[in-house]
Amino acid sequence: MPLTDIEIRNARPREKAYRLADGAGMYLEVSSAGGKYWRLKYRFNGKEKRLALGVYPEVSAKEARSRRDEARRLLDRGIDPSFERKVQKASGVERAANSFETVAREWFARQAPIWAASHADKIIARLENDVFPWLGSRPIAEIKAPEVLAILRRVEERGALDTAHRVHQNCGQVFRYAVATGRAERDVSADLRGALPPARHTHFASVTEPSEVAGLLRALDAFQGTFIVQCALRLAPLLFVRPGELRMARWEQFDLERAQWCYTVTKTKTEHLVPLARQAVTILRELQALTGRRDFVFPGRDAKKPMSGAAINAALRRMGFDTKTEITGHGFRAMARTILHERLRFPSEVIEHQLAHKVPDALGTAYNRTKFIDDRVAMMQRWADYLDELKGCGPGPDNQY
């Protein structure tokens, strides 16, 4: 007779383990420590075998009987339930090893060391927030394009179209890595090209008209904040590096005698050389008297850390500039690129090298920190002189810049 719930609950441990039969080969084994284990005794190919069905009370008598019946059905088909369990377990381990999340994290671990930390953080955050909850446990080889599209639509519907495009891109990178490592047949995300509406990219606000640049420069010189932020504001248009690279500048990277600043570009992990015009050297020497004994050129409130990444834009807003429509810390790069080419007639390849952009030449060389260095030294000094000329001009329709 099947065991009743009362019999199961009241089964107390004894000095030695004992068994309570439930029927059809299943029994409850009660250990000397009080544990209660469901077991199935059966014969396969003439040998007596045991199959664990679970632990009471996590597995109830009803569930244990269901597992027993399933094992009996396998036996009727000539299949050893113990061997089938090992196969299923191995299959589950393989599925977990080839899940989208496992493959994606493996791909990320290989790529992250060559990325800027901020870039890596954004990618893993997108995967963890927008992909893994829905596709993470799925075997990557079994994922179909509609499943990926559902992920992208979910991101798009919350108003983050640009993020949806980036999620699409990252999923494609993971699928292609899975193909390369033999865990998927193809990149199914490629079937979704055109499924999302184009993202409208907005450029960093910038000032490119000389008359407006003149007013901006005079406002920067008149900034009423701290001397450190004022120096950063005055150097930003002179050097036109990325805002994060400026605020993270360290004194050890500067050679003021040779008028050079050499640092590693965050986006490309390549060394970049910035020739310093006389005006930039003057500002840096003034600032060196204040912060030269510290690590960072522009320390924040905590002297061991650089100034905030929002400091430049916050200062611009304090001066009355709209950082969404007029100028941002990043906008000084666009300002320099436009005026250097259109007004001062410097070659675009010289400008792009100074901006530390990857622009392959005829020989396929993407970037060399010393390429066009003489031209770049001359350009940076001419640029600084031009900005001084603009500041010296008064506003008026007759001024020529």
Side-chain angles (χ1 to χ4, degrees):
M1 294 292 292
L3 295 169
T4 65
D5 287 340
I6 293 177
E7 288 176 313
I8 297 170
R9 288 197 302 270
N10 290 340
R12 299 287 182 253
R14 300 175 185 172
E15 185 176 349
K16 294 183 178 181
Y18 64 96
R19 302 171 182 176
L20 298 174
D22 188 78
M26 188 176 92
Y27 59 87
L28 182 71
E29 182 175 299
V30 183
S31 73
S32 59
K36 299 175 181 180
Y37 306 92
W38 295 112
R39 302 276 193 260
L40 173 65
K41 182 173 70 173
Y42 66 98
R43 298 188 72 83
F44 188 81
N45 288 338
K47 294 181 179 180
E48 184 176 291
K49 306 185 80 170
R50 298 281 192 280
L51 180 69
L53 299 177
V55 182
Y56 181 86
E58 287 78 10
V59 176
S60 66
K62 181 178 179 181
E63 175 61 24
R65 289 166 190 148
S66 175
R67 296 180 183 184
R68 174 200 63 194
D69 294 342
E70 176 60 29
R72 287 291 179 190
R73 282 191 286 271
L74 290 173
L75 286 168
D76 290 341
R77 290 158 51 194
I79 299 173
D80 183 351
S82 294
F83 180 76
E84 178 67 13
R85 175 172 294 180
K86 291 177 182 179
V87 170
Q88 292 299 326
K89 184 176 181 180
S91 175
V93 171
E94 182 179 1
R95 286 167 64 90
N98 294 330
S99 70
F100 184 93
E101 181 171 353
T102 299
V103 176
R105 290 192 182 277
E106 183 180 316
W107 164 78
F108 177 81
R110 289 178 175 272
Q111 298 298 320
I114 65 174
W115 291 332
S118 58
H119 180 63
D121 289 345
K122 291 176 183 177
I123 288 178
I124 196 63
R126 278 196 292 270
L127 291 171
E128 290 177 342
N129 296 331
D130 298 319
V131 184
F132 291 166
W134 293 275
L135 293 182
S137 61
R138 296 272 289 119
I140 195 165
E142 298 178 11
I143 296 175
K144 306 299 182 185
E147 297 177 76
V148 181
L149 181 59
I151 295 294
L152 304 183
R153 290 282 187 238
R154 187 176 290 108
V155 179
E156 178 191 5
E157 288 168 3
R158 71 168 189 253
L161 181 58
D162 185 65
T163 299
H165 279 280
R166 294 181 186 277
V167 169
H168 185 194
Q169 177 187 25
N170 296 148
C171 285
Q173 292 168 316
V174 173
F175 278 115
R176 290 191 292 276
Y177 178 76
V179 172
T181 55
R183 286 174 282 185
E185 293 295 325
R186 57 186 296 271
D187 171 16
V188 298
S189 73
D191 297 338
L192 302 178
R193 291 192 182 98
L196 294 173
R200 296 180 180 179
H201 295 286
T202 57
H203 298 285
F204 292 104
S206 182
V207 175
T208 56
E209 285 299 319
S211 58
E212 297 178 359
V213 173
L216 170 63
L217 295 172
R218 287 193 286 268
L220 298 182
D221 284 350
F223 177 67
Q224 297 293 310
T226 67
F227 183 65
I228 292 174
V229 175
Q230 183 191 63
C231 288
L233 286 169
R234 292 166 63 196
L235 285 167
L238 285 171
L239 305 180
F240 52 88
V241 296
R242 295 176 180 86
E245 294 164 350
L246 181 65
R247 78 180 187 91
M248 295 292 290
R250 299 172 182 266
W251 281 116
E252 64 185 18
Q253 300 167 341
F254 286 84
D255 186 339
L256 298 184
E257 294 300 324
R258 299 177 63 187
Q260 293 180 348
W261 173 26
C262 186
Y263 66 92
T264 301
V265 178
T266 54
K267 295 186 71 172
T268 61
K269 300 294 184 181
T270 55
E271 286 193 347
H272 182 49
L273 181 63
V274 180
L276 303 174
R278 293 187 300 275
Q279 294 89 331
V281 172
T282 298
I283 296 171
L284 286 165
R285 288 197 184 281
E286 292 175 356
L287 183 59
Q288 192 175 40
L290 177 63
T291 69
R293 294 184 179 180
R294 301 176 188 175
D295 187 9
F296 292 103
V297 177
F298 307 101
R301 292 181 179 178
D302 182 346
K304 296 181 180 179
K305 298 180 180 180
M307 69 180 183
S308 166
I312 294 293
N313 282 350
L316 290 169
R317 287 192 292 269
R318 282 180 57 189
M319 289 184 283
F321 293 100
D322 188 331
T323 53
K324 292 184 178 180
T325 62
E326 293 181 289
I327 185 67
T328 67
H330 206 284
F332 291 115
R333 291 169 63 77
M335 181 178 82
R337 181 194 298 115
T338 301
I339 297 178
L340 281 169
H341 185 61
E342 296 182 359
R343 299 278 177 168
L344 302 183
R345 305 299 182 185
F346 281 95
S348 59
E349 59 267 26
V350 176
I351 300 170
E352 293 301 312
H353 264 75
Q354 193 51 57
L355 288 164
H357 285 166
K358 284 189 174 182
V359 183
D361 58 19
L363 298 177
T365 303
Y367 175 77
N368 185 315
R369 68 171 182 158
T370 60
K371 192 166 187 179
F372 303 120
I373 189 60
D374 292 337
D375 294 327
R376 286 157 56 194
V377 169
M379 181 181 73
M380 295 298 278
Q381 187 57 58
R382 178 69 188 99
W383 173 242
D385 293 341
Y386 178 77
L387 295 183
D388 281 348
E389 293 166 12
L390 289 183
K391 285 190 290 185
C393 293
D398 297 329
N399 286 329
Q400 300 295 317
Y401 297 97

